[in-house]
Amino acid sequence: MDARQPDDVRDIPDYQALVVIDMKGYSKVPSHRMPAMRGDLDNMLATAFAESGLGREWEERAYWSDTGDGCILALPVRRMWRLVDPLPEILDGVLARYDRERLASTPEIRVRMSVHVGPLPDSYRGDPINDACRLIDSDAARDAVDKARALGSYVALVISEAVFQAVVRPRRTTRLTEQDFLPTRAEVKNKYSETAWVHVPRRSPADLGTPAGGGSERAAEAAPTPEAPAASPTPAAPRFAIETVGNIIDTPQGDLSFTQDFRRTGR
């Protein structure tokens, strides 16, 4: 007799690594240029994934969703570290080569990436995918790609706190460390507000300044507390001297006068 219990909808499904890629300014490109631009992005993603050791994951995708200006891809959690390092750096290099070689009439391509992780059923519907999309749509991600463009970079990466704790904190990355990520607050109005971490290839967090959201509580806690100014010493009591006091007493024999001497040295 089979003693297995039927699945319950509350059972926790397997965790999946999720990456969302989105082109900056795609909606402003003339409609007749969109297919070629999107085809160029897909070709460059295929190259960057292959060079990052994720060629099989790109070719044999368990889950893939075309978002028009980008895509959503799921892959096994054990390979997630490659999405954080080296994929963004390699993709940045591929996009830089494209930018050098493209015709002046061809739109530039710059992208923002989000990486998240969470339990997803076979339908791939649930909060983890929603949050990965909100992460890339957040003010922090949009601000990061704008700053990347100003700094001459082509990729802005935003990872969730869960990815940071699973990949960056335990040093599963090949080159990047905690110091290469800027903590921020990823927010989508009335929908999403979570701690996130920003990285732009070839740039330090100091180059990015303060991202949208004003930084996370973690950054605030790490900041040194300014020392209170030292209290001014209480002024010493002034030295004083009471000298002489003259007295006059009226008596039947006439006024008598005498002097009391209160002089003393200061304390």
Side-chain angles (χ1 to χ4, degrees), residues 40-69:
D40 288 343
L41 175 65
D42 286 346
N43 290 335
M44 288 186 285
L45 287 174
T47 298
F49 269 74
E51 293 182 6
S52 301
L54 294 169
R56 177 177 295 179
E57 284 72 18
W58 178 263
E59 295 296 334
E60 303 173 5
R61 310 186 271 270
Y63 174 81
W64 162 270
S65 177
D66 187 335
T67 61
D69 54 358

PDB file of all heavy atoms in Angstrom, residues 40-69:
ATOM      1  N   ASP A  40      19.819  41.514 -31.366  1.00  0.00           N
ATOM      2  CA  ASP A  40      21.206  41.768 -30.962  1.00  0.00           C
ATOM      3  C   ASP A  40      21.406  41.449 -29.478  1.00  0.00           C
ATOM      4  O   ASP A  40      22.414  40.849 -29.088  1.00  0.00           O
ATOM      5  CB  ASP A  40      21.578  43.232 -31.228  1.00  0.00           C
ATOM      6  CG  ASP A  40      21.747  43.540 -32.707  1.00  0.00           C
ATOM      7  OD1 ASP A  40      21.888  42.584 -33.496  1.00  0.00           O
ATOM      8  OD2 ASP A  40      21.725  44.737 -33.073  1.00  0.00           O
ATOM      9  N   LEU A  41      20.422  41.848 -28.638  1.00  0.00           N
ATOM     10  CA  LEU A  41      20.539  41.570 -27.202  1.00  0.00           C
ATOM     11  C   LEU A  41      20.576  40.071 -26.942  1.00  0.00           C
ATOM     12  O   LEU A  41      21.414  39.584 -26.171  1.00  0.00           O
ATOM     13  CB  LEU A  41      19.377  42.202 -26.434  1.00  0.00           C
ATOM     14  CG  LEU A  41      19.336  41.864 -24.940  1.00  0.00           C
ATOM     15  CD1 LEU A  41      20.550  42.451 -24.221  1.00  0.00           C
ATOM     16  CD2 LEU A  41      18.049  42.354 -24.287  1.00  0.00           C
ATOM     17  N   ASP A  42      19.684  39.318 -27.586  1.00  0.00           N
ATOM     18  CA  ASP A  42      19.647  37.869 -27.367  1.00  0.00           C
ATOM     19  C   ASP A  42      20.969  37.219 -27.766  1.00  0.00           C
ATOM     20  O   ASP A  42      21.461  36.312 -27.074  1.00  0.00           O
ATOM     21  CB  ASP A  42      18.492  37.246 -28.149  1.00  0.00           C
ATOM     22  CG  ASP A  42      17.133  37.547 -27.527  1.00  0.00           C
ATOM     23  OD1 ASP A  42      17.113  38.001 -26.359  1.00  0.00           O
ATOM     24  OD2 ASP A  42      16.110  37.344 -28.196  1.00  0.00           O
ATOM     25  N   ASN A  43      21.545  37.661 -28.868  1.00  0.00           N
ATOM     26  CA  ASN A  43      22.830  37.107 -29.304  1.00  0.00           C
ATOM     27  C   ASN A  43      23.928  37.406 -28.288  1.00  0.00           C
ATOM     28  O   ASN A  43      24.777  36.548 -27.991  1.00  0.00           O
ATOM     29  CB  ASN A  43      23.214  37.671 -30.668  1.00  0.00           C
ATOM     30  CG  ASN A  43      22.328  37.138 -31.786  1.00  0.00           C
ATOM     31  OD1 ASN A  43      21.747  36.050 -31.666  1.00  0.00           O
ATOM     32  ND2 ASN A  43      22.206  37.891 -32.866  1.00  0.00           N
ATOM     33  N   MET A  44      23.920  38.622 -27.757  1.00  0.00           N
ATOM     34  CA  MET A  44      24.948  38.988 -26.782  1.00  0.00           C
ATOM     35  C   MET A  44      24.739  38.272 -25.453  1.00  0.00           C
ATOM     36  O   MET A  44      25.709  37.899 -24.783  1.00  0.00           O
ATOM     37  CB  MET A  44      24.972  40.511 -26.598  1.00  0.00           C
ATOM     38  CG  MET A  44      25.556  41.236 -27.804  1.00  0.00           C
ATOM     39  SD  MET A  44      25.755  43.022 -27.556  1.00  0.00           S
ATOM     40  CE  MET A  44      24.054  43.577 -27.708  1.00  0.00           C
ATOM     41  N   LEU A  45      23.492  38.055 -25.080  1.00  0.00           N
ATOM     42  CA  LEU A  45      23.223  37.285 -23.861  1.00  0.00           C
ATOM     43  C   LEU A  45      23.710  35.850 -24.012  1.00  0.00           C
ATOM     44  O   LEU A  45      24.306  35.282 -23.087  1.00  0.00           O
ATOM     45  CB  LEU A  45      21.733  37.299 -23.535  1.00  0.00           C
ATOM     46  CG  LEU A  45      21.166  38.613 -22.994  1.00  0.00           C
ATOM     47  CD1 LEU A  45      19.648  38.521 -22.858  1.00  0.00           C
ATOM     48  CD2 LEU A  45      21.803  38.978 -21.656  1.00  0.00           C
ATOM     49  N   ALA A  46      23.473  35.266 -25.179  1.00  0.00           N
ATOM     50  CA  ALA A  46      23.941  33.899 -25.419  1.00  0.00           C
ATOM     51  C   ALA A  46      25.458  33.828 -25.290  1.00  0.00           C
ATOM     52  O   ALA A  46      26.004  32.888 -24.682  1.00  0.00           O
ATOM     53  CB  ALA A  46      23.500  33.433 -26.806  1.00  0.00           C
ATOM     54  N   THR A  47      26.151  34.822 -25.832  1.00  0.00           N
ATOM     55  CA  THR A  47      27.616  34.867 -25.731  1.00  0.00           C
ATOM     56  C   THR A  47      28.067  35.019 -24.289  1.00  0.00           C
ATOM     57  O   THR A  47      28.954  34.301 -23.812  1.00  0.00           O
ATOM     58  CB  THR A  47      28.170  36.029 -26.575  1.00  0.00           C
ATOM     59  OG1 THR A  47      27.833  35.820 -27.954  1.00  0.00           O
ATOM     60  CG2 THR A  47      29.688  36.139 -26.438  1.00  0.00           C
ATOM     61  N   ALA A  48      27.449  35.969 -23.572  1.00  0.00           N
ATOM     62  CA  ALA A  48      27.849  36.249 -22.185  1.00  0.00           C
ATOM     63  C   ALA A  48      27.567  35.053 -21.281  1.00  0.00           C
ATOM     64  O   ALA A  48      28.386  34.712 -20.415  1.00  0.00           O
ATOM     65  CB  ALA A  48      27.127  37.487 -21.669  1.00  0.00           C
ATOM     66  N   PHE A  49      26.426  34.390 -21.461  1.00  0.00           N
ATOM     67  CA  PHE A  49      26.118  33.203 -20.651  1.00  0.00           C
ATOM     68  C   PHE A  49      27.130  32.098 -20.915  1.00  0.00           C
ATOM     69  O   PHE A  49      27.609  31.437 -19.989  1.00  0.00           O
ATOM     70  CB  PHE A  49      24.691  32.720 -20.933  1.00  0.00           C
ATOM     71  CG  PHE A  49      23.647  33.319 -20.030  1.00  0.00           C
ATOM     72  CD1 PHE A  49      23.247  34.635 -20.181  1.00  0.00           C
ATOM     73  CD2 PHE A  49      23.073  32.568 -19.017  1.00  0.00           C
ATOM     74  CE1 PHE A  49      22.285  35.201 -19.352  1.00  0.00           C
ATOM     75  CE2 PHE A  49      22.120  33.111 -18.171  1.00  0.00           C
ATOM     76  CZ  PHE A  49      21.722  34.444 -18.344  1.00  0.00           C
ATOM     77  N   ALA A  50      27.462  31.889 -22.191  1.00  0.00           N
ATOM     78  CA  ALA A  50      28.427  30.834 -22.527  1.00  0.00           C
ATOM     79  C   ALA A  50      29.792  31.125 -21.920  1.00  0.00           C
ATOM     80  O   ALA A  50      30.434  30.239 -21.344  1.00  0.00           O
ATOM     81  CB  ALA A  50      28.532  30.694 -24.043  1.00  0.00           C
ATOM     82  N   GLU A  51      30.247  32.375 -22.026  1.00  0.00           N
ATOM     83  CA  GLU A  51      31.552  32.744 -21.483  1.00  0.00           C
ATOM     84  C   GLU A  51      31.563  32.733 -19.957  1.00  0.00           C
ATOM     85  O   GLU A  51      32.630  32.692 -19.345  1.00  0.00           O
ATOM     86  CB  GLU A  51      31.971  34.114 -22.012  1.00  0.00           C
ATOM     87  CG  GLU A  51      32.255  34.125 -23.505  1.00  0.00           C
ATOM     88  CD  GLU A  51      32.725  35.481 -24.004  1.00  0.00           C
ATOM     89  OE1 GLU A  51      32.947  36.389 -23.161  1.00  0.00           O
ATOM     90  OE2 GLU A  51      32.865  35.650 -25.233  1.00  0.00           O
ATOM     91  N   SER A  52      30.383  32.769 -19.345  1.00  0.00           N
ATOM     92  CA  SER A  52      30.274  32.745 -17.880  1.00  0.00           C
ATOM     93  C   SER A  52      30.110  31.332 -17.339  1.00  0.00           C
ATOM     94  O   SER A  52      29.911  31.148 -16.135  1.00  0.00           O
ATOM     95  CB  SER A  52      29.083  33.599 -17.421  1.00  0.00           C
ATOM     96  OG  SER A  52      29.212  34.930 -17.858  1.00  0.00           O
ATOM     97  N   GLY A  53      30.180  30.324 -18.219  1.00  0.00           N
ATOM     98  CA  GLY A  53      29.991  28.949 -17.776  1.00  0.00           C
ATOM     99  C   GLY A  53      28.545  28.559 -17.638  1.00  0.00           C
ATOM    100  O   GLY A  53      28.220  27.566 -16.968  1.00  0.00           O
ATOM    101  N   LEU A  54      27.637  29.322 -18.283  1.00  0.00           N
ATOM    102  CA  LEU A  54      26.211  29.054 -18.194  1.00  0.00           C
ATOM    103  C   LEU A  54      25.605  28.774 -19.571  1.00  0.00           C
ATOM    104  O   LEU A  54      24.413  29.006 -19.791  1.00  0.00           O
ATOM    105  CB  LEU A  54      25.487  30.253 -17.540  1.00  0.00           C
ATOM    106  CG  LEU A  54      25.813  30.523 -16.077  1.00  0.00           C
ATOM    107  CD1 LEU A  54      25.255  31.870 -15.646  1.00  0.00           C
ATOM    108  CD2 LEU A  54      25.267  29.411 -15.191  1.00  0.00           C
ATOM    109  N   GLY A  55      26.432  28.289 -20.484  1.00  0.00           N
ATOM    110  CA  GLY A  55      25.945  28.038 -21.827  1.00  0.00           C
ATOM    111  C   GLY A  55      24.820  27.020 -21.872  1.00  0.00           C
ATOM    112  O   GLY A  55      23.818  27.199 -22.578  1.00  0.00           O
ATOM    113  N   ARG A  56      24.952  25.943 -21.104  1.00  0.00           N
ATOM    114  CA  ARG A  56      23.904  24.914 -21.093  1.00  0.00           C
ATOM    115  C   ARG A  56      22.609  25.468 -20.516  1.00  0.00           C
ATOM    116  O   ARG A  56      21.516  25.180 -21.026  1.00  0.00           O
ATOM    117  CB  ARG A  56      24.366  23.710 -20.289  1.00  0.00           C
ATOM    118  CG  ARG A  56      23.300  22.616 -20.178  1.00  0.00           C
ATOM    119  CD  ARG A  56      23.813  21.405 -19.435  1.00  0.00           C
ATOM    120  NE  ARG A  56      24.902  20.760 -20.180  1.00  0.00           N
ATOM    121  CZ  ARG A  56      25.543  19.686 -19.734  1.00  0.00           C
ATOM    122  NH1 ARG A  56      25.222  19.152 -18.555  1.00  0.00           N
ATOM    123  NH2 ARG A  56      26.495  19.140 -20.454  1.00  0.00           N
ATOM    124  N   GLU A  57      22.736  26.262 -19.447  1.00  0.00           N
ATOM    125  CA  GLU A  57      21.535  26.847 -18.826  1.00  0.00           C
ATOM    126  C   GLU A  57      20.811  27.775 -19.799  1.00  0.00           C
ATOM    127  O   GLU A  57      19.586  27.892 -19.754  1.00  0.00           O
ATOM    128  CB  GLU A  57      21.917  27.601 -17.556  1.00  0.00           C
ATOM    129  CG  GLU A  57      22.225  26.721 -16.356  1.00  0.00           C
ATOM    130  CD  GLU A  57      23.549  25.985 -16.488  1.00  0.00           C
ATOM    131  OE1 GLU A  57      24.384  26.386 -17.324  1.00  0.00           O
ATOM    132  OE2 GLU A  57      23.765  25.021 -15.734  1.00  0.00           O
ATOM    133  N   TRP A  58      21.569  28.449 -20.662  1.00  0.00           N
ATOM    134  CA  TRP A  58      20.941  29.320 -21.652  1.00  0.00           C
ATOM    135  C   TRP A  58      20.263  28.497 -22.747  1.00  0.00           C
ATOM    136  O   TRP A  58      19.148  28.817 -23.172  1.00  0.00           O
ATOM    137  CB  TRP A  58      21.986  30.246 -22.263  1.00  0.00           C
ATOM    138  CG  TRP A  58      21.434  31.144 -23.331  1.00  0.00           C
ATOM    139  CD1 TRP A  58      21.472  30.943 -24.682  1.00  0.00           C
ATOM    140  CD2 TRP A  58      20.720  32.368 -23.134  1.00  0.00           C
ATOM    141  NE1 TRP A  58      20.845  31.979 -25.343  1.00  0.00           N
ATOM    142  CE2 TRP A  58      20.369  32.866 -24.420  1.00  0.00           C
ATOM    143  CE3 TRP A  58      20.350  33.090 -22.006  1.00  0.00           C
ATOM    144  CZ2 TRP A  58      19.663  34.058 -24.598  1.00  0.00           C
ATOM    145  CZ3 TRP A  58      19.650  34.285 -22.189  1.00  0.00           C
ATOM    146  CH2 TRP A  58      19.317  34.753 -23.464  1.00  0.00           C
ATOM    147  N   GLU A  59      20.915  27.453 -23.194  1.00  0.00           N
ATOM    148  CA  GLU A  59      20.380  26.653 -24.300  1.00  0.00           C
ATOM    149  C   GLU A  59      19.249  25.738 -23.851  1.00  0.00           C
ATOM    150  O   GLU A  59      18.297  25.504 -24.609  1.00  0.00           O
ATOM    151  CB  GLU A  59      21.513  25.818 -24.926  1.00  0.00           C
ATOM    152  CG  GLU A  59      22.599  26.642 -25.590  1.00  0.00           C
ATOM    153  CD  GLU A  59      22.096  27.433 -26.784  1.00  0.00           C
ATOM    154  OE1 GLU A  59      21.090  27.005 -27.405  1.00  0.00           O
ATOM    155  OE2 GLU A  59      22.698  28.479 -27.099  1.00  0.00           O
ATOM    156  N   GLU A  60      19.340  25.208 -22.633  1.00  0.00           N
ATOM    157  CA  GLU A  60      18.335  24.259 -22.140  1.00  0.00           C
ATOM    158  C   GLU A  60      17.558  24.877 -20.982  1.00  0.00           C
ATOM    159  O   GLU A  60      17.536  24.365 -19.870  1.00  0.00           O
ATOM    160  CB  GLU A  60      19.021  22.965 -21.702  1.00  0.00           C
ATOM    161  CG  GLU A  60      19.840  22.305 -22.813  1.00  0.00           C
ATOM    162  CD  GLU A  60      20.648  21.110 -22.319  1.00  0.00           C
ATOM    163  OE1 GLU A  60      20.490  20.737 -21.128  1.00  0.00           O
ATOM    164  OE2 GLU A  60      21.436  20.564 -23.107  1.00  0.00           O
ATOM    165  N   ARG A  61      16.932  25.979 -21.262  1.00  0.00           N
ATOM    166  CA  ARG A  61      16.260  26.756 -20.222  1.00  0.00           C
ATOM    167  C   ARG A  61      15.039  26.005 -19.678  1.00  0.00           C
ATOM    168  O   ARG A  61      14.145  25.627 -20.435  1.00  0.00           O
ATOM    169  CB  ARG A  61      15.822  28.113 -20.761  1.00  0.00           C
ATOM    170  CG  ARG A  61      16.912  28.867 -21.487  1.00  0.00           C
ATOM    171  CD  ARG A  61      16.444  30.269 -21.854  1.00  0.00           C
ATOM    172  NE  ARG A  61      15.791  30.354 -23.129  1.00  0.00           N
ATOM    173  CZ  ARG A  61      16.407  30.602 -24.299  1.00  0.00           C
ATOM    174  NH1 ARG A  61      17.723  30.721 -24.323  1.00  0.00           N
ATOM    175  NH2 ARG A  61      15.730  30.728 -25.400  1.00  0.00           N
ATOM    176  N   ALA A  62      15.011  25.846 -18.359  1.00  0.00           N
ATOM    177  CA  ALA A  62      13.842  25.232 -17.728  1.00  0.00           C
ATOM    178  C   ALA A  62      12.667  26.201 -17.755  1.00  0.00           C
ATOM    179  O   ALA A  62      11.505  25.793 -17.869  1.00  0.00           O
ATOM    180  CB  ALA A  62      14.171  24.837 -16.296  1.00  0.00           C
ATOM    181  N   TYR A  63      12.978  27.478 -17.641  1.00  0.00           N
ATOM    182  CA  TYR A  63      11.930  28.502 -17.702  1.00  0.00           C
ATOM    183  C   TYR A  63      12.496  29.721 -18.400  1.00  0.00           C
ATOM    184  O   TYR A  63      13.612  30.172 -18.119  1.00  0.00           O
ATOM    185  CB  TYR A  63      11.447  28.879 -16.304  1.00  0.00           C
ATOM    186  CG  TYR A  63      10.465  30.033 -16.326  1.00  0.00           C
ATOM    187  CD1 TYR A  63       9.121  29.803 -16.621  1.00  0.00           C
ATOM    188  CD2 TYR A  63      10.881  31.334 -16.077  1.00  0.00           C
ATOM    189  CE1 TYR A  63       8.210  30.857 -16.669  1.00  0.00           C
ATOM    190  CE2 TYR A  63       9.972  32.393 -16.116  1.00  0.00           C
ATOM    191  CZ  TYR A  63       8.644  32.147 -16.417  1.00  0.00           C
ATOM    192  OH  TYR A  63       7.751  33.192 -16.471  1.00  0.00           O
ATOM    193  N   TRP A  64      11.719  30.267 -19.314  1.00  0.00           N
ATOM    194  CA  TRP A  64      12.113  31.456 -20.069  1.00  0.00           C
ATOM    195  C   TRP A  64      10.858  32.259 -20.372  1.00  0.00           C
ATOM    196  O   TRP A  64       9.845  31.710 -20.815  1.00  0.00           O
ATOM    197  CB  TRP A  64      12.805  31.037 -21.363  1.00  0.00           C
ATOM    198  CG  TRP A  64      12.881  32.110 -22.414  1.00  0.00           C
ATOM    199  CD1 TRP A  64      11.967  32.373 -23.393  1.00  0.00           C
ATOM    200  CD2 TRP A  64      13.932  33.057 -22.596  1.00  0.00           C
ATOM    201  NE1 TRP A  64      12.380  33.406 -24.177  1.00  0.00           N
ATOM    202  CE2 TRP A  64      13.585  33.854 -23.709  1.00  0.00           C
ATOM    203  CE3 TRP A  64      15.121  33.304 -21.927  1.00  0.00           C
ATOM    204  CZ2 TRP A  64      14.390  34.888 -24.166  1.00  0.00           C
ATOM    205  CZ3 TRP A  64      15.928  34.324 -22.394  1.00  0.00           C
ATOM    206  CH2 TRP A  64      15.576  35.095 -23.477  1.00  0.00           C
ATOM    207  N   SER A  65      10.912  33.565 -20.124  1.00  0.00           N
ATOM    208  CA  SER A  65       9.785  34.427 -20.437  1.00  0.00           C
ATOM    209  C   SER A  65      10.295  35.661 -21.154  1.00  0.00           C
ATOM    210  O   SER A  65      11.214  36.337 -20.673  1.00  0.00           O
ATOM    211  CB  SER A  65       9.047  34.838 -19.152  1.00  0.00           C
ATOM    212  OG  SER A  65       7.992  35.725 -19.440  1.00  0.00           O
ATOM    213  N   ASP A  66       9.717  35.942 -22.303  1.00  0.00           N
ATOM    214  CA  ASP A  66      10.073  37.122 -23.086  1.00  0.00           C
ATOM    215  C   ASP A  66       9.246  38.293 -22.581  1.00  0.00           C
ATOM    216  O   ASP A  66       8.015  38.266 -22.602  1.00  0.00           O
ATOM    217  CB  ASP A  66       9.769  36.848 -24.562  1.00  0.00           C
ATOM    218  CG  ASP A  66      10.263  37.969 -25.474  1.00  0.00           C
ATOM    219  OD1 ASP A  66      10.394  39.122 -25.015  1.00  0.00           O
ATOM    220  OD2 ASP A  66      10.517  37.686 -26.657  1.00  0.00           O
ATOM    221  N   THR A  67       9.929  39.335 -22.102  1.00  0.00           N
ATOM    222  CA  THR A  67       9.223  40.511 -21.581  1.00  0.00           C
ATOM    223  C   THR A  67       9.178  41.653 -22.587  1.00  0.00           C
ATOM    224  O   THR A  67       8.785  42.769 -22.245  1.00  0.00           O
ATOM    225  CB  THR A  67       9.891  41.002 -20.284  1.00  0.00           C
ATOM    226  OG1 THR A  67      11.251  41.372 -20.560  1.00  0.00           O
ATOM    227  CG2 THR A  67       9.862  39.925 -19.217  1.00  0.00           C
ATOM    228  N   GLY A  68       9.604  41.411 -23.803  1.00  0.00           N
ATOM    229  CA  GLY A  68       9.608  42.454 -24.819  1.00  0.00           C
ATOM    230  C   GLY A  68      10.925  43.197 -24.847  1.00  0.00           C
ATOM    231  O   GLY A  68      11.688  43.126 -25.797  1.00  0.00           O
ATOM    232  N   ASP A  69      11.215  43.905 -23.754  1.00  0.00           N
ATOM    233  CA  ASP A  69      12.483  44.637 -23.669  1.00  0.00           C
ATOM    234  C   ASP A  69      13.539  43.845 -22.914  1.00  0.00           C
ATOM    235  O   ASP A  69      14.587  44.377 -22.549  1.00  0.00           O
ATOM    236  CB  ASP A  69      12.283  46.000 -23.009  1.00  0.00           C
ATOM    237  CG  ASP A  69      11.606  45.907 -21.647  1.00  0.00           C
ATOM    238  OD1 ASP A  69      11.252  44.777 -21.229  1.00  0.00           O
ATOM    239  OD2 ASP A  69      11.415  46.951 -21.003  1.00  0.00           O
TER     240      ASP A  69
END
